[in-house]
Amino acid sequence: MFDGVALRARLTGVRDRIARAAGRAGRDPASIRLIAVSKTFSVDHVRAVADGGQVDFGENKVQEALHKIAQTADLQLRWHLIGHVQSNKARKAAAEFHTIHSIDSRALLLKIDEAAGAAHHPVDVLIQVDLANEATKHGATPDQVDGILEAAQPLRATRLRGLMLLPPAGDDPEEARPYFRRLRDLRDEFVARGADRPSLGELSMGMSHDFEVAVEEGATLVRVGTAIFGDRPYV
Ligand SMILES: *Cc1c(COP(=O)(O)O)cnc(C)c1O
């Protein structure tokens, strides 16, 4: 079992650290939204953290998330899909999530838009960018982002909100800083070249070990699992 009081204390600790990082960067802490990444943890864990005032939750697998979404339907939670969307899960994802962070192709974007339209459920989306050219990882290269931006413009059921980054894993949070900075610069370049600013307002970057660095570099959405819920059981 778990200790809800301890979970909420860790939640408060993470919130405080976000506020201090925002302060160092001269940013308003209210401009940063914390997403509690509950993957592998139970519905009871989600409820305990929601009791602490947490509204945004993240999951990386559609099937696992659908169960938790259904079991917490009485709470007004916002669910974020932060993992790769398999084509055959696009329909369910579009109908159930508030935000999908992992759009990495035109084809996936169009599929999500069609499904969101059919479900009469508008969905916010972010483009996941691969800045490290990691062949094993998902994400659009900066060149491909252009085409996705263009494809997003006329869509009605999906609203593009920004960019998402999962940098290469490293032990030192400072190793992630250049990637965070690059994502922000890339966004600024797209806006300078005419992209609509509100559709690129969000930067989803930063996890348990590096979210403070991400906040210093402009993150508006941080995805934190372990620092709130504890170590994940390996599944
Ligand atoms: C699991 C996961 C996180 C959270 O990771 P922690 O290190 O536990 O904070 C953030 N983003 C993505 C895409 C994830 O899959």
Side-chain angles (χ1 to χ4, degrees):
M1 269 313 280
F2 66 93
D3 179 350
V5 174
L7 282 184
R8 287 188 287 278
R10 283 207 291 261
L11 175 69
T12 304
V14 169
R15 289 194 175 287
D16 288 347
R17 288 166 61 193
I18 291 171
R20 281 198 297 273
R24 286 195 294 278
R27 300 183 58 200
D28 176 2
S31 66
I32 298 133
R33 212 155 9 121
L34 169 63
I35 299 171
V37 177
S38 50
K39 65 188 185 195
T40 77
F41 289 99
S42 71
V43 170
D44 289 336
H45 286 79
V46 171
R47 286 190 172 276
V49 169
D51 273 349
Q54 180 64 24
V55 172
D56 291 276
F57 287 85
E59 289 282 333
N60 69 336
K61 294 200 177 101
V62 174
Q63 206 58 41
E64 179 184 345
L66 292 177
H67 168 71
K68 292 177 203 174
I69 294 172
Q71 296 294 313
T72 56
D74 56 310
L75 307 173
Q76 300 288 313
L77 305 182
R78 272 194 299 258
W79 289 92
H80 298 252
L81 181 57
I82 60 174
H84 178 62
V85 192
Q86 291 168 293
S87 292
N88 63 344
K89 299 281 167 56
R91 183 164 295 279
K92 280 182 177 160
E96 300 290 342
F97 284 90
H98 178 278
T99 305
I100 298 175
H101 292 230
S102 43
I103 301 295
D104 61 1
S105 73
R106 267 175 110 106
L108 177 60
L109 175 66
L110 297 178
K111 188 169 264 197
I112 294 286
D113 186 66
E114 193 190 325
H120 303 287
H121 179 266
V123 61
D124 286 358
V125 297
L126 306 173
I127 302 171
Q128 182 174 352
V129 184
D130 173 14
L131 291 177
N133 256 314
E134 291 178 291
T136 54
K137 222 180 243 178
H138 300 290
T141 63
D143 286 345
Q144 292 165 338
V145 174
D146 253 331
I148 302 176
L149 284 175
E150 203 182 313
Q153 251 172 15
L155 301 182
R156 287 284 165 268
T158 41
R159 297 172 298 220
L160 180 62
R161 296 297 194 203
L163 305 178
M164 181 271 217
L165 178 70
L166 188 57
D171 292 333
D172 180 357
E174 287 299 331
E175 288 172 41
R177 190 183 296 276
Y179 289 97
F180 296 149
R181 199 170 278 171
R182 179 77 193 109
L183 191 73
R184 188 189 60 204
D185 288 347
L186 189 68
R187 186 271 307 279
D188 293 347
E189 287 164 25
F190 283 121
V191 171
R193 282 177 12 221
D196 183 36
R197 183 68 171 75
S199 69
L200 290 178
E202 305 281 1
L203 294 177
S204 168
M205 54 190 198
M207 303 165 48
S208 288
H209 79 295
D210 57 13
F211 67 85
E212 287 151 303
V213 175
V215 167
E216 288 169 9
E217 296 299 335
T220 63
L221 296 165
V222 293
R223 312 178 306 263
V224 178
T226 313
I228 296 170
F229 292 101
D231 286 332
R232 278 183 289 279
Y234 247 90
V235 286

